[in-house]
Amino acid sequence: VDSGEWDVLIAHFLGVDHCGHKHGPDHPEMAKKLTQMNEMLRSLVDHLGNDTLLLVAGDHGMTETGDHGGDSEKEVNAALFVYSRTPLFGGGPPEEPETIPQVNLVPTVALLLGVPIPYSNIGEVMAELFAGDSDAVSAALQQLSVYHINAKQVDRFLQSYSLVAQDLPAEQLQHLQELFSSAVEEHTQLLTQMQGTTVPPELKPRLGSLIGRFQRYLREARAVCTQSWARFHPLRMVGGCILIASSCLLCYVASELAVSSQSLCRSCLLYPLFWGPVGAGLLWLIHVFTQEGLDLLLVSSWAAAASQLGFFWHWWGQHLKRAHLTGSQPPLASGGLRQRLRAWLGLAFPMGILFFRCGAMFSDSFVVAEARVAPFLLASLVMLLVGKLHWDGHLTVPEGPKQQLLGVSSYRREIWYLLCLVAMLLVCVRLSSFFHQCREEIPQCRPSVFLSPLASLRNTRAKNLFYLLCVALLAGLVYAVQSWLRHYGNLNSSDPLVLFVRWGFPLVVLCIACYWAVASSADDSLGKLQELVQVAVVVFPRAVYGLASMGLLLLLCNPMTVFAKDTRESAGSIVTPYLGVPGSEVDFLHVIPQIYKRMQESQKSRLERGSCRATVAAYGLGSVYSAALVIALTLLGFLLMLLHSERLSFAFLLLFVEAFVLLHIHTCAKGLAGDAELFSVPWCAVISWLLAASQFFYSTGHQPIFPAIHWNAAFVGFHLGHSMNLLPAVLVGANTFASHILFAVGCPLLLLWPFVCEMSNSQRKKPKKESREELQEVEEHMMEMRLRESPEEFSTALLQLGLKYLFVLGAQLLACVCAAMILRRHLMVWKVFAPKFLFESLGFVVSSICLLLGISLVMRVDCAVSTWFSQLRLR
């Protein structure tokens, strides 16, 4: 302050705010803190010059408990202290402090500094600060000039705003324009009638009246804007929350119906598909015949409500009908109550984690710190899963006489495998915290260095090292995927999709590596190659887009990665005929498992006896569904890594590794628990899968705030810009919701992975010494072909998994919607809760669409498998 090398000095003190939150306004600690602040201001006043103005203001008030964020008087009102060594109010301080309502510091400070008032500000200036030590008439003239400048600025803003937005009422805008025009006209006449710098006595009464008219205009303009911009529809908000809550309930009920009764579930789900279009059609007819405008959002809401009412009405009717036909039995006698209580206790852990996550959405501190809380919840859920297995006695072997005598329990060998998986998960969770983005609410936070592109590095050696590591990571990902596919026999055929996996994946990696090399090089070091580089930064990304699109098209056209070698002899039949209706669907379902078992027997006979009498040797049929999903996820991973900075590829590596570990954890837990429901995915797996999606939303450098959006993703491959807004929106959206896309598309793996791991799990359980005859009697491992044995259960399991996923997504969205509705007057609503609501809503839409695409891909593979079996049968 004493140096004088400043024009404006701004200081922000947090001590009073922290003390108020911790102790409240009436605590002795608050008195100590206020005394400390008073001493600081006293020392500051002693160093002020005669031409310095001191403004001390609070940004908000507090309640009796030290809270703020609501719209009560004590929360929205704050004190303002103004001090100057020279008199400000007409030669001396007023006898009593004056209350100036609806004032704003922004226009006041702007005019005091001699700069224009900000364009979009609608506050009222504190004109008393500009009166100085002049007489009453001169002071009134100065205040009139200040109000005139303030009113012109507000009028200019309202005119510009009304041209691009239609939310301000036209009648009130017209009234404000008339009020402003009349005040300006009178101000012009007053200046014309003045004689130099003196005011005639007959004009002095008009000064106060004109100042009052400008004040009235400013306050009415502020009231109109506040009424329009802060307009809420509580009834519609409540209706939206009820609609989302009923949708979540529908998903939960339908998922439970899918387990208990497949026919009832299908019949109930037909009603939403019927009543929804019927309700929308009726509203459209009303619109046509009445010629009245209808809100599209309102029509869609009514249609959704009609479909849900149809579902619940039919479900309740069927429930009562079944209860009447079967009769009511005592729950304890039938075991139903005990089984239901056990199921509810099993849901306590995952649903408790989900409830905690949804309930904490109402805290701005949680939303700000969610990047650290989501990994904690994921690790807690997995640890609770292991603890539940231990408490249920699934980790120990049955006690023999010796163990009972010694009182010692021995653990199963699989427990060490499970603990290693949990340790790997915790390592991935810890490492993912290195790729964080910072919010401005956390001043001590520093963004991760991995968020900046390689071009920002000045150290050439470090840049080259990171570049080599990123390219090696891509090559390692391709090698891991190809090794997995080769291990399960999905890389043996010469189909176009398999050839693309063999040669197209390395070509995609090469294009990404070339793009990273060109994009990370310094512009001044390129010299004459600058024009070539401008072409390269466009060609290589578009080549990746084209190759990935071609791979996805090949996957959709022929997703079968199975190699079949036909060496059948004429003698003998492959299948036994079905004694039923010829050509019926039951006959077809009867044939498929026999074909697959015959192929396995033939291959085993060929390997054991060395004979060449095998019928059909098929490779990769046991993992055909998972192979298609793994190929799709790899292609999507390449695209999404291209849209991020180079070093964030390490975060995507952690994403794939953690997803792989989660799949094995839940598969191992399911095997240890002896879960007989092969076609059911537990809630714990679904919730942990979604928690991992939320975790990597933050671990790929994102935050639910607009400044954290990676806008540069829109120009990857489009260096010169776009001619339309759709494509850049898709690119930026894919960059922002990359984790949502990958985990939603890969969601069916939660159902498929236990079948894929069937062979490896059984090999770990197999005793070391076993005769050849016993080996022949061991049941063949059909892996994913078990799904073909029960196609009805398979389709029902996919439906149930999708409904569970949508339920958890909907519960999180419902929490964000309720938080934004209840806390709409909160101080942080536009800073924290509203952006979180928008990001969560968009994430819900993206996840739902990608979930549908992932399930559709599995169904496409299922159709291809059915076609393949039918062709094999006709040969």
Side-chain angles (χ1 to χ4, degrees):
V1 177
D2 294 332
S3 63
E5 298 178 357
W6 55 274
D7 294 322
V8 178
L9 188 63
I10 301 175
H12 185 206
F13 295 91
L14 290 174
V16 176
D17 184 82
H18 291 171
C19 185
H21 281 299
K22 185 176 182 180
H23 301 289
D26 301 325
H27 198 273
E29 292 295 330
M30 176 59 76
K32 294 181 182 179
K33 180 57 65 176
L34 292 177
T35 302
Q36 182 183 358
M37 288 297 302
N38 188 59
E39 294 297 328
M40 188 280 303
L41 292 176
R42 188 184 302 276
S43 63
L44 180 61
V45 166
D46 295 338
H47 292 78
L48 292 181
N50 294 330
D51 58 346
T52 304
L53 177 66
L54 174 64
L55 298 175
V56 181
D59 54 348
H60 55 76
M62 70 172 71
T63 63
E64 290 82 358
T65 58
D67 301 320
H68 63 85
D71 57 350
S72 65
E73 284 294 323
K74 292 186 177 181
E75 293 171 276
V76 299
N77 286 339
L80 173 64
F81 172 74
V82 181
Y83 179 82
S84 175
R85 288 187 178 273
T86 58
L88 293 175
F89 300 95
E95 296 181 1
E96 294 183 0
E98 297 184 7
T99 301
I100 308 174
Q102 298 180 354
V103 297
N104 196 306
L105 281 179
V106 175
T108 304
V109 176
L111 293 179
L112 287 173
L113 296 177
V115 297
I117 300 175
Y119 164 74
S120 59
N121 188 273
I122 57 173
E124 178 184 342
V125 69
M126 297 179 62
E128 290 81 358
L129 298 181
F130 300 88
D133 54 354
S134 307
D135 55 72
V137 176
S138 300
L141 287 174
Q142 293 178 7
Q143 294 179 22
L144 179 61
S145 177
V146 170
Y147 276 121
H148 179 252
I149 296 174
N150 193 185
K152 286 182 61 177
Q153 171 263 327
V154 173
D155 177 72
R156 183 171 63 252
F157 167 71
L158 292 179
Q159 289 183 4
S160 302
Y161 181 83
S162 60
L163 294 177
V164 297
Q166 307 297 328
D167 53 348
L168 296 179
E171 298 82 4
Q172 297 185 6
L173 282 176
Q174 181 66 27
H175 170 69
L176 290 175
Q177 183 62 37
E178 294 175 356
L179 185 61
F180 173 75
S181 300
S182 61
V184 170
E185 182 179 358
E186 184 176 353
H187 179 260
T188 304
Q189 295 177 359
L190 182 63
L191 294 180
T192 304
Q193 296 176 7
M194 288 178 53
Q195 301 175 1
T197 58
T198 60
V199 180
E202 64 274 9
L203 298 180
K204 291 181 181 180
R206 295 174 55 185
L207 289 176
S209 174
L210 188 54
I211 291 175
R213 294 179 65 177
F214 277 122
Q215 289 179 338
R216 177 187 172 190
Y217 168 77
L218 292 172
R219 294 171 185 177
E220 289 189 6
R222 179 186 178 94
V224 169
C225 294
T226 302
Q227 183 181 4
S228 178
W229 296 338
R231 183 175 62 242
F232 299 103
H233 299 281
L235 185 60
R236 290 194 177 188
M237 291 180 181
V238 174
C241 292
I242 294 175
L243 190 61
I244 298 175
S246 60
S247 301
C248 294
L249 181 61
L250 187 151
C251 292
Y252 181 81
V253 172
S255 65
E256 294 298 322
L257 287 177
V259 179
S260 60
S261 176
Q262 301 175 9
S263 59
L264 178 60
C265 178
R266 290 187 176 184
S267 62
C268 287
L269 289 178
L270 289 176
Y271 278 80
L273 297 177
F274 173 75
W275 287 110
V278 168
L282 291 176
L283 291 173
W284 181 78
L285 289 176
I286 294 174
H287 167 66
V288 170
F289 287 105
T290 59
Q291 298 295 327
E292 294 182 0
L294 290 177
D295 189 358
L296 180 61
L297 183 62
L298 190 61
V299 171
S300 303
S301 302
W302 279 110
S307 64
Q308 292 182 8
L309 287 175
F311 169 83
F312 288 113
W313 181 269
H314 183 70
W315 167 71
W316 185 252
Q318 292 292 329
H319 176 72
L320 294 179
K321 183 177 179 181
R322 291 180 62 189
H324 177 71
L325 292 177
T326 58
S328 58
Q329 295 181 354
L332 291 177
S334 61
L337 181 60
R338 186 176 305 171
Q339 185 178 2
R340 185 171 299 179
L341 287 176
R342 188 171 184 178
W344 286 348
L345 290 176
L347 287 176
F349 291 123
M351 289 301 178
I353 295 292
L354 178 62
F355 177 78
F356 177 81
R357 171 171 168 76
C358 294
M361 293 288 185
F362 293 83
S363 169
D364 57 338
S365 301
F366 170 82
V367 177
V368 170
E370 191 179 9
R372 291 176 292 175
V373 177
F376 171 77
L377 293 178
L378 173 62
S380 301
L381 181 57
V382 174
M383 296 298 292
L384 286 173
L385 173 63
V386 177
K388 184 177 183 299
L389 290 174
H390 176 71
W391 295 330
D392 292 342
H394 297 306
L395 302 182
T396 57
V397 297
E399 297 181 355
K402 185 177 181 180
Q403 285 81 5
Q404 292 180 356
L405 181 63
L406 298 177
V408 178
S409 300
S410 58
Y411 288 92
R412 303 169 67 172
R413 288 180 298 175
E414 292 83 357
I415 180 60
W416 306 112
Y417 177 66
L418 178 61
L419 293 179
C420 289
L421 290 175
V422 173
M424 289 179 61
L425 176 69
L426 296 179
V427 170
C428 291
V429 168
R430 177 63 63 181
L431 291 178
S432 66
S433 62
F434 290 103
F435 305 93
H436 64 278
Q437 178 66 279
C438 291
R439 298 179 62 119
E440 63 180 11
E441 291 89 353
I442 308 177
Q444 297 83 6
C445 177
R446 291 186 179 182
S448 173
V449 295
F450 294 95
L451 299 179
S452 58
L454 289 179
S456 62
L457 294 179
R458 299 304 177 200
N459 191 335
T460 305
R461 180 176 299 179
K463 181 188 296 186
N464 294 335
L465 177 61
F466 274 114
Y467 173 76
L468 292 176
L469 289 176
C470 293
V471 174
L473 185 149
L474 292 178
L477 178 61
V478 172
Y479 176 77
V481 172
Q482 290 183 347
S483 299
W484 187 88
L485 294 172
R486 188 178 298 109
H487 172 73
Y488 287 102
N490 297 106
L491 280 185
N492 295 314
S493 69
S494 58
D495 292 337
L497 178 61
V498 177
L499 293 177
F500 181 83
V501 173
R502 289 178 180 174
W503 305 107
F505 278 12
L507 186 58
V508 171
V509 171
L510 179 61
C511 292
I512 295 177
C514 293
Y515 170 72
W516 285 352
V518 174
S520 61
S521 55
D523 295 336
D524 53 356
S525 63
L526 298 175
K528 298 181 180 180
L529 299 177
Q530 187 66 34
E531 296 182 359
L532 183 61
V533 169
Q534 295 296 327
V535 176
V537 296
V538 175
V539 171
F540 286 122
R542 294 190 181 184
V544 176
Y545 296 152
L547 288 172
S549 301
M550 183 175 67
L552 292 175
L553 287 176
L554 290 174
L555 185 63
L556 291 177
C557 293
N558 185 17
M560 291 286 293
T561 54
V562 176
F563 173 65
K565 185 176 180 181
D566 191 353
T567 59
R568 291 178 293 179
E569 298 180 357
S570 58
S573 62
I574 297 180
V575 298
T576 58
Y578 173 74
L579 301 178
V581 180
S584 64
E585 183 180 0
V586 181
D587 185 15
F588 182 65
L589 299 177
H590 173 74
V591 168
I592 291 177
Q594 294 188 56
I595 294 177
Y596 185 71
K597 289 183 178 179
R598 181 62 181 269
M599 289 189 296
Q600 287 186 324
E601 292 173 0
S602 302
Q603 185 68 11
K604 181 178 179 182
S605 175
R606 183 178 181 181
L607 293 176
E608 291 184 354
R609 296 191 296 270
S611 63
C612 299
R613 300 180 59 188
T615 56
V616 177
Y619 302 90
L621 197 58
S623 58
V624 62
Y625 297 99
S626 300
L629 280 174
V630 169
I631 294 172
L633 290 173
T634 306
L635 289 173
L636 291 175
F638 286 145
L639 285 175
L640 297 173
M641 280 189 278
L642 179 68
L643 297 177
H644 288 76
S645 62
E646 300 88 347
R647 289 183 287 180
L648 280 178
S649 55
F650 295 103
F652 281 92
L653 174 64
L654 286 175
L655 185 151
F656 286 116
V657 172
E658 185 171 315
F660 180 80
V661 171
L662 278 175
L663 290 173
H664 277 278
I665 286 177
H666 292 293
T667 300
C668 184
K670 198 170 185 179
L672 289 172
D675 193 351
E677 296 182 359
L678 294 176
F679 292 89
S680 178
V681 179
W683 284 100
C684 184
V686 178
I687 295 175
S688 62
W689 196 254
L690 272 164
L691 285 175
S694 300
Q695 169 200 347
F696 279 99
F697 170 77
Y698 296 98
S699 296
T700 50
H702 298 98
Q703 285 282 348
I705 52 176
F706 298 108
I709 296 178
H710 299 175
W711 300 107
N712 56 331
F715 304 99
V716 176
F718 302 91
H719 188 66
L720 300 179
H722 298 269
S723 58
M724 55 185 300
N725 296 328
L726 179 60
L727 184 57
V730 171
L731 294 177
V732 174
N735 174 282
T736 304
F737 301 104
S739 63
H740 296 73
I741 294 172
L742 293 175
F743 279 95
V745 172
C747 179
L749 289 175
L750 293 172
L751 172 64
L752 302 174
W753 208 256
F755 297 95
V756 176
C757 299
E758 179 186 31
M759 182 172 60
S760 58
N761 290 338
S762 60
Q763 287 176 353
R764 285 198 298 268
K765 297 178 182 179
K766 189 183 300 183
K768 295 182 179 180
K769 296 182 180 180
E770 198 169 7
S771 64
R772 179 181 292 252
E773 292 76 8
E774 291 174 344
L775 282 172
Q776 293 178 355
E777 294 177 359
V778 174
E779 183 183 359
E780 296 291 346
H781 310 295
M782 299 188 64
M783 298 172 64
E784 289 182 349
M785 284 300 102
R786 288 187 181 275
L787 301 170
R788 297 296 310 169
E789 290 183 336
S790 304
E792 292 289 335
E793 293 186 17
F794 181 31
S795 59
T796 302
L798 278 177
L799 174 63
Q800 184 191 27
L801 176 60
L803 291 172
K804 287 183 176 181
Y805 202 85
L806 289 176
F807 170 79
V808 181
L809 281 174
Q812 296 177 3
L813 177 62
L814 177 63
C816 286
V817 172
C818 291
M821 178 189 70
I822 296 174
L823 303 174
R824 62 186 180 273
R825 299 291 184 181
H826 195 278
L827 180 68
M828 294 293 178
V829 61
W830 305 116
K831 186 68 174 179
V832 175
F833 296 108
K836 175 63 177 175
F837 161 65
L838 292 176
F839 276 83
E840 195 72 31
S841 302
L842 292 175
F844 175 83
V845 174
V846 172
S847 298
S848 301
I849 294 175
C850 292
L851 174 66
L852 180 62
L853 294 178
I855 294 177
S856 300
L857 178 59
V858 175
M859 296 174 66
R860 174 69 186 93
V861 178
D862 190 61
C863 293
V865 171
S866 300
T867 304
W868 186 83
F869 273 118
S870 62
Q871 293 175 355
L872 183 64
R873 183 188 177 192
L874 294 175
R875 287 193 227 170

